[in-house]
Amino acid sequence: MVYISGINPDDTVKVTSNLKARSEKFFPYKKGQLAIVGVSCTAEPGEYRYDILISREGKILREVENTIIIKEKNFKKDYITVSKEVQEKKSQENLNSDTENIAKAKANPIPQPLYEGVFIAPVDAEINTEFGAMRYVNGVRSSVHSGLDFKAKKGTPVMASNNGKVVLAMELNASGNTVILDHGLNIYTSYCHLDTISVEVGDMVQKGDIVGNVGSTGYSTGPHLHWTFSIGRQSTNPIPFMEGFAIPDF
């Protein structure tokens, strides 16, 4: 998290960094501005520059130079076999379409936290693929797993992991029937491969409300829930938010 005290909500904050795939948006918080920053699990370990320039009405107020250290993490490997028909759901054309729909859904994040307390698991089921697992499809390295896969039966009710607003509820090519919740401060959770969707865009949901049922739609080899936790467009590990992550009282 980056918190800048003593500045106004309309002051401009510009970040320059050689850390790629970050996703920061600053929101008014307490007596300053706050951003929660997502870091890709594919980032190489090491030191990265993270400089902040603050200006007001075209005049520079403050320049701060920072260093962020990315520590090494070993992720598991995951092997799956898919048919040609399923593989085609991740064609570049389909992925571009999905990306456009998701970008629209996340274009205007709610500037205050809607979530309260810890995030809960959306289903009471075993996790069979962890976040960050290196995925091999038909023997070829394909991607890094962007969330948690829960091994649950088709039709199992899927719960909202925290309070939020529904910003997407539709069928996508890769993730099938998908629901995305905006929890405020650029934090989102996504519920993918659903059999049915129980909410509509604009609905306000509370932690534990049902948003759909487990299915196997889209790029999927069997019934399960793929659940992602993201800061903006950057998928991050949800475990800290399930274990009590909270914004400090600056």
Side-chain angles (χ1 to χ4, degrees):
M1 290 181 295
V2 180
Y3 176 66
I4 306 170
S5 62
I7 63 173
N8 299 329
D10 55 352
D11 288 340
T12 301
V13 180
K14 181 179 179 180
V15 174
T16 303
S17 177
N18 58 348
L19 175 63
K20 297 180 180 179
R22 66 187 196 277
S23 178
E24 67 266 315
K25 283 184 178 290
F26 284 86
F27 301 97
Y29 186 78
K30 301 287 185 179
K31 296 181 179 180
Q33 293 189 39
L34 171 75
I36 302 175
V37 182
V39 177
S40 171
C41 59
T42 62
E44 293 291 332
E47 291 189 0
Y48 292 85
R49 192 185 74 257
Y50 196 88
D51 302 334
I52 299 173
L53 177 68
I54 306 160
S55 58
R56 178 181 299 164
E57 297 178 352
K59 296 182 180 180
I60 296 175
L61 293 181
R62 211 183 312 171
E63 292 183 78
V64 182
E65 296 182 357
N66 293 276
T67 298
I68 290 180
I69 298 175
I70 304 297
K71 296 182 179 180
E72 186 174 7
K73 167 73 174 178
N74 292 318
F75 295 101
K76 294 183 177 181
K77 295 180 179 179
D78 180 50
Y79 298 86
I80 64 172
T81 301
V82 302
S83 66
K84 182 179 179 180
E85 180 182 3
V86 171
Q87 187 83 344
E88 288 175 351
K89 292 181 181 293
K90 277 195 172 182
S91 69
Q92 194 57 54
E93 182 180 357
N94 285 343
L95 291 178
N96 289 343
S97 174
D98 289 353
T99 297
E100 182 178 349
N101 282 307
I102 293 170
K104 288 179 180 178
K106 296 183 176 182
N108 298 295
I110 295 170
Q112 64 275 344
L114 300 181
Y115 64 91
E116 295 180 334
V118 299
F119 283 70
I120 62 172
V123 290
D124 183 14
E126 174 189 353
I127 296 173
N128 60 348
T129 306
E130 297 180 359
F131 171 80
M134 292 184 291
R135 173 155 283 178
Y136 290 77
V137 179
N138 298 341
V140 178
R141 181 169 176 173
S142 172
S143 61
V144 175
H145 198 242
S146 62
L148 300 177
D149 278 357
F150 291 86
K151 187 179 180 180
K153 295 180 179 180
K154 181 179 178 179
T156 301
V158 175
M159 300 178 293
S161 58
N162 215 314
N163 308 341
K165 180 180 180 179
V166 179
V167 292
L168 184 143
M170 64 182 294
E171 183 177 7
L172 299 177
N173 295 293
S175 56
N177 290 329
T178 303
V179 171
I180 299 179
L181 302 182
D182 182 344
H183 300 285
L185 297 181
N186 211 24
I187 294 175
Y188 299 89
T189 54
S190 303
Y191 308 76
C192 307
H193 308 301
L194 301 174
D195 186 53
T196 59
I197 294 174
S198 305
V199 291
E200 297 180 352
V201 171
D203 288 351
M204 302 298 294
V205 297
Q206 300 297 307
K207 185 190 303 186
D209 286 353
I210 304 302
V211 299
N213 295 302
V214 171
S216 184
T217 55
Y219 187 89
S220 173
T221 58
H224 73 289
L225 176 70
H226 177 72
W227 179 59
T228 66
F229 188 101
S230 59
I231 299 170
R233 296 295 309 282
Q234 181 61 62
S235 299
T236 58
N237 190 351
I239 298 300
F241 293 83
M242 301 171 73
E243 294 179 342
F245 170 89
I247 300 173
D249 189 13
F250 293 106

